[in-house]
Amino acid sequence: MKKKNLSTEFQDPEGTQFSITFNPHWNNFNISVTDSCGRGTNSIVMGYEDLRSIFKEAENIMIQNTDLIMDEKSFPKPNVED
């Protein structure tokens, strides 16, 4: 059986990492931020609908404040961990 991807990471140019990991046992997501020195600075746990709402609202804010017309296919893909 192929291992499923349960987490994804984003890293900015300064080395700060933002990661989202799904926990199938508890059916929720752990979202954490780690600074460039490897220190965890924040971590929260939330359900799917709450996480989806946050990203949808962020997308709405970006579209309202830019001249860009973007669809889902135009966003870059994250670095996915196996």
Side-chain angles (χ1 to χ4, degrees), residues 22-38:
F22 179 67
N23 181 326
H25 178 74
W26 297 105
N27 199 28
N28 60 24
F29 291 88
N30 181 4
I31 301 144
S32 62
V33 177
T34 306
D35 67 15
S36 60
C37 297

Side-chain angles (χ1 to χ4, degrees), residues 12-76:
D12 70 9
E14 289 80 31
T16 302
Q17 291 184 342
F18 175 79
S19 64
I20 302 172
T21 304
F22 179 67
N23 181 326
H25 178 74
W26 297 105
N27 199 28
N28 60 24
F29 291 88
N30 181 4
I31 301 144
S32 62
V33 177
T34 306
D35 67 15
S36 60
C37 297
R39 295 182 298 247
T41 56
N42 279 312
S43 181
I44 60 172
V45 175
M46 65 177 49
Y48 169 77
E49 287 300 325
D50 293 330
L51 181 62
R52 185 173 183 261
S53 294
I54 288 171
F55 281 101
K56 190 63 177 167
E57 186 61 28
E59 180 183 34
N60 289 340
I61 290 168
M62 187 201 70
I63 289 171
Q64 290 172 6
N65 291 287
T66 64
D67 293 333
L68 300 174
I69 298 174
M70 302 181 85
D71 62 19
E72 194 172 314
K73 294 176 187 172
S74 64
F75 285 95

